[in-house]
Amino acid sequence: CSICPLGTDSATIWFDLSSASTCETCSIGKFRSEIVADCTICNAGKYNDNDNSDALLHTECVACAAGKHLQDQGTTIASHDSEDDCTSCTAGKYSAVAAPSCTDCPKGTYLADNGSDPTLHNDVSDCTSCPAGKYSEQVGGTSCTDCGQGKYVQTTGSISETQCDTCPIGKHN
């Protein structure tokens, strides 16, 4: 008996060399990278859209691109069988490669893009600091708030209205 090659499995993990056809390539949405394991649904942040023609394409799953995420924790094959299962991060969020979820932009920043371009959501550096005169108190901000009439803040990236100062006498905002 021999072990089925990686990327394949069988009803029994051992097979007779004279009938290697009992080892079948993992189905779409699954992979097998360990000798003692069965084909498994891809983990969160990954998918496998390869057909069953090449077992080597089923030894690992493909990571969702930065700026996208895939939340399912490997419970549903249909959630891991296409690159389309990777969802773009929404406004105020970004993600790294193979992310199970998107991360909120930090306070004092914003990201206005609604997710139409994942390349605008692939790093914390895509979160823009609030300009002078504005602040953002929340994580995951999609815009910044004006300090308000008669107030200003000279620094960028302000995180609270308390950082806004009253304009000096003779000046206005």
Side-chain angles (χ1 to χ4, degrees):
C1 294
S2 294
I3 297 173
C4 288
L6 299 181
T8 68
D9 74 358
S10 177
T12 59
I13 202 157
W14 300 94
F15 71 95
D16 184 337
L17 285 175
S18 64
S19 64
S21 62
T22 60
C23 293
E24 296 180 10
T25 301
C26 297
S27 66
I28 193 168
K30 289 186 167 188
F31 75 108
R32 180 171 164 252
S33 62
E34 298 178 28
I35 291 176
V36 295
D38 294 327
C39 291
T40 306
I41 299 172
C42 297
N43 296 323
K46 297 183 177 187
Y47 67 96
N48 192 332
D49 61 355
N50 295 298
D51 62 19
N52 298 10
S53 63
D54 187 350
L56 291 176
L57 298 175
H58 289 271
T59 58
E60 63 184 5
C61 294
V62 180
C64 292
K68 293 186 171 194
H69 72 288
L70 200 162
Q71 285 187 294
D72 182 82
Q73 297 292 323
T75 58
T76 309
I77 292 173
S79 295
H80 297 270
D81 64 358
S82 169
E83 184 177 7
D84 292 338
D85 295 328
C86 301
T87 307
S88 294
C89 295
T90 58
K93 299 178 181 288
Y94 67 94
S95 74
V97 172
S101 61
C102 296
T103 303
D104 288 327
C105 288
K107 291 179 180 183
T109 67
Y110 71 100
L111 204 163
D113 180 77
N114 64 4
S116 60
D117 184 355
T119 64
L120 298 176
H121 296 262
N122 61 9
D123 191 80
V124 68
S125 64
D126 292 324
C127 302
T128 305
S129 290
C130 292
K134 297 184 178 213
Y135 64 94
S136 176
E137 292 181 329
Q138 63 184 358
V139 295
T142 59
S143 64
C144 297
T145 304
D146 289 323
C147 279
Q149 189 171 358
K151 294 191 172 197
Y152 74 102
V153 62
Q154 290 183 345
T155 59
T156 60
S158 296
I159 63 170
S160 172
E161 185 177 14
T162 61
Q163 291 178 291
C164 299
D165 294 319
T166 303
C167 294
I169 296 174
K171 298 200 175 188
H172 67 90
N173 180 10

